[in-house]
Amino acid sequence: MSDSAIVLRRYGAGDTPALLDTLVDLWADAHTDSRDVTAAGFTPDTLRRQITGHARRDDFTLITAYADGHPVGFGYGFRCTPTYWFGETLLPSISEDARTTGALAGICELAVRPAWQGRGIGVRVHSTLLDALKPEWASLLAMPGNDAAQRLYHRLGYRYAGPYRSGADGPVLDLLLLHCNVRERDCSASRRPA
């Protein structure tokens, strides 16, 4: 199948309940061989709760990639405040431009089925998601040991901003930042914070 046959569709919060089982299945398939994800406590049930909670936001945006009508990848995110996304502890170490922006997008998931990885689908989903959210800055969390994802995020222009932990018992993740030129709709690497 040619990659040009990939169709991207945009969904909002109200569409999510009908798509939830499909998204969870796709995510589980994309992480089948990822021991780091399992060891960190991320499970299909965790994802289900995460998406359900995030879909309560009015600006929730989901992009799903389809091949012959079958979902092969997805990504979602929403606009939020820097305080919400980075948290009070990490916020002071974030570059001033990123911590004071009024246009931050938190990218929560980006997953592609293994058989479809390496074909640019994740890049297309990410680009379409940013076009929809129109951020000045984008940020996501990545597993430190997931080399394939880290390479993708680096190619997209994300740079390491610091360690992130959602709670005392949560895993330590890499917080990554991307600066987007809103006028040119171009995203580039952000400065690493001092």
Side-chain angles (χ1 to χ4, degrees):
M1 159 152 315
S2 135
D3 293 341
S4 63
I6 299 297
V7 174
L8 300 180
R9 292 194 182 117
R10 178 179 173 179
Y11 299 100
D15 303 310
T16 305
L19 296 168
L20 192 56
D21 289 339
T22 299
L23 298 174
V24 170
D25 175 68
L26 195 158
W27 180 89
D29 187 28
H31 292 91
T32 298
D33 294 329
S34 181
R35 291 184 204 107
D36 289 345
V37 169
T38 305
F42 299 119
T43 67
D45 286 337
T46 305
L47 180 73
R48 183 179 299 281
R49 286 190 304 274
Q50 175 183 298
I51 292 174
T52 300
H54 289 157
R56 292 184 181 115
R57 300 183 61 90
D58 291 336
D59 52 356
F60 175 93
T61 302
L62 167 68
I63 305 296
T64 304
Y66 294 89
D68 288 333
H70 300 285
V72 296
F74 79 95
Y76 84 87
F78 50 85
R79 287 182 62 142
C80 56
T81 67
T83 302
Y84 171 88
W85 187 257
F86 302 123
E88 292 292 338
T89 304
L90 189 55
L91 191 63
S93 66
I94 302 300
S95 68
E96 183 176 355
D97 292 346
R99 77 172 173 257
T100 59
T101 186
L104 175 68
I107 308 302
C108 301
E109 290 295 334
L110 188 60
V112 176
R113 291 192 189 277
W116 291 89
Q117 291 175 5
R119 299 183 189 196
I121 295 169
V123 172
R124 288 179 59 192
V125 167
H126 178 267
S127 177
T128 303
L129 186 56
L130 290 184
D131 285 346
L133 294 170
K134 298 179 182 8
E136 180 181 357
W137 288 87
S139 184
L140 55 79
L141 300 171
M143 296 294 299
N146 187 337
D147 294 337
Q150 291 278 1
R151 283 191 301 274
L152 170 63
Y153 300 143
H154 184 76
R155 277 195 325 269
L156 291 171
Y158 284 90
R159 295 297 177 256
Y160 180 79
Y164 180 90
R165 179 175 274 174
S166 63
D169 296 334
V172 176
L173 303 172
D174 289 345
L175 178 78
L176 305 179
L177 272 174
L178 175 71
H179 186 245
C180 301
N181 182 332
V182 179
R183 286 189 191 141
E184 297 175 20
R185 291 304 316 142
D186 180 36
C187 295
S188 61
S190 67
R191 294 185 316 271
R192 184 177 173 132

